Amino acid sequence: MVDKLTARQARHIIEVVGASGTPPEWGFQFFSAGLDGYLKVIEDDYLGNFIHEGGSSFKVVVGTYGGGKTHFLYSVRELAWRHDYLVAYCPLSADSSPFHRLDMVYKSIAVNLMRPLTPDELLTGGERGLGAFIKAVYSDMKDALSGELEGEALEERIRALAADSVRGCENPNFGKAVRLAIEALSADDRDQFDSMLQFLTVDGWDRSAHRNTGVLQPIERSQAFATIRSLVQWVRNLRFKGIIMLFD
């Protein structure tokens, strides 16, 4: 949390709360009260040890309309980011994240996945989704090697890092698509990146184009759980603590 608000940030908070009564994605911290006890339990009993050590848990928050559920979930997201988790904040309705369509649940997680963000990154809203996260992963790999390697040697090392990052992923098609997406960024191949992202976000599967890359079948209901687990496995391979999924 920052000590001072910029004029732009303060205006954004006022406009969002005044227009709809809903909390802003960032700034709710300045008018939170009464949540510390609940958040401490989540932090001490789950984020700080059980989930960090590979466990998983499911909790339900029950409240009336306008009772503060979204505000509370934003608080959990902020806390999870502080502990180096990724967070997917997903809308929950019959059309979005229907639990009888697990492929659509995975899609909602993929398009809403967010790494820890700064206040301004949150306010601009441009860092959401698996595509943005893969670009950030590639950028981190490249920055870590800058000054050490360049040209073909740099691309080869990034290919090796991408392959290592998806080892152990339960769904081999997911792992291959992630690896190819990172390689596409390294090779500046926008078409290949878009094709892999199309598969990874369940936006369509081109039998000819995807099979030619070794991505052999689309993400369907029968592979949804394995794909969600693969996403978590990949994130943990990248040394994040895991993924917190919030359905609202």
Side-chain angles (χ1 to χ4, degrees):
M1 186 171 179
V2 297
D3 295 326
K4 290 184 177 180
L5 282 168
T6 66
R8 173 177 173 272
Q9 291 166 347
R11 178 64 182 269
H12 176 85
I13 294 169
I14 293 169
E15 290 292 337
V16 171
V17 176
S20 63
T22 59
E25 290 221 53
W26 183 85
F28 62 90
Q29 302 94 327
F30 293 98
F31 53 94
S32 291
L35 299 178
D36 290 350
Y38 303 103
L39 295 175
K40 181 172 174 52
V41 170
I42 290 173
E43 181 172 27
D44 292 348
D45 292 354
Y46 295 98
L47 299 179
N49 52 53
F50 181 61
I51 300 177
H52 178 197
E53 293 164 2
S56 61
S57 184
F58 173 77
K59 303 295 178 186
V60 177
V61 178
V62 179
T64 60
Y65 181 79
K69 298 185 296 298
T70 298
H71 192 124
F72 177 69
L73 293 181
Y74 282 172
S75 301
V76 173
R77 181 175 69 181
E78 187 78 10
L79 189 60
W81 278 343
R82 274 190 241 154
H83 282 266
D84 216 18
Y85 290 86
L86 300 190
V87 179
Y89 179 87
C90 307
L92 188 59
S93 70
D95 299 322
S96 179
S97 309
F99 284 157
H100 69 287
R101 288 286 310 278
L102 291 179
D103 51 332
M104 293 295 98
V105 172
Y106 161 77
K107 176 182 175 69
S108 185
I109 294 168
V111 300
N112 289 292
L113 191 69
M114 298 173 78
R115 61 186 173 87
L117 299 176
T118 66
D120 284 334
E121 285 175 329
L122 260 178
L123 294 179
T124 57
E127 294 287 334
R128 189 186 304 269
L130 195 51
F133 179 63
I134 292 174
K135 289 178 181 177
V137 168
Y138 164 71
S139 180
D140 288 345
M141 290 178 177
K142 187 176 179 181
D143 289 346
L145 297 168
S146 63
E148 179 183 337
L149 298 171
E150 58 183 23
E152 180 56 36
L154 176 61
E155 285 195 35
E156 184 176 345
R157 181 61 179 146
I158 287 176
R159 285 196 294 269
L161 290 174
D164 286 343
S165 75
V166 297
R167 289 192 194 283
C169 286
E170 187 174 338
N171 183 338
N173 292 301
F174 172 88
K176 179 161 285 189
V178 167
R179 176 174 62 79
L180 291 175
I182 296 173
E183 290 181 4
L185 291 172
S186 181
D188 198 23
D189 187 342
R190 183 69 194 188
D191 289 341
Q192 170 100 318
F193 178 79
D194 288 345
S195 177
M196 291 304 103
L197 195 61
Q198 179 183 355
F199 166 82
L200 289 166
T201 56
V202 199
D203 270 342
W205 185 70
D206 187 313
R207 179 180 295 272
S208 175
H210 286 118
R211 277 186 176 272
N212 284 340
T213 65
V215 178
L216 302 180
Q217 62 183 127
I219 298 171
E220 297 175 325
R221 197 177 312 183
S222 60
Q223 297 97 37
F225 260 134
T227 307
I228 293 172
R229 287 193 293 267
S230 295
L231 176 59
V232 175
Q233 288 159 356
W234 173 54
V235 163
R236 287 180 66 85
N237 286 348
L238 294 170
R239 303 298 183 264
F240 287 92
K241 303 292 178 56
I243 301 177
I244 304 302
M245 305 168 192
L246 305 174
F247 295 93
D248 188 8

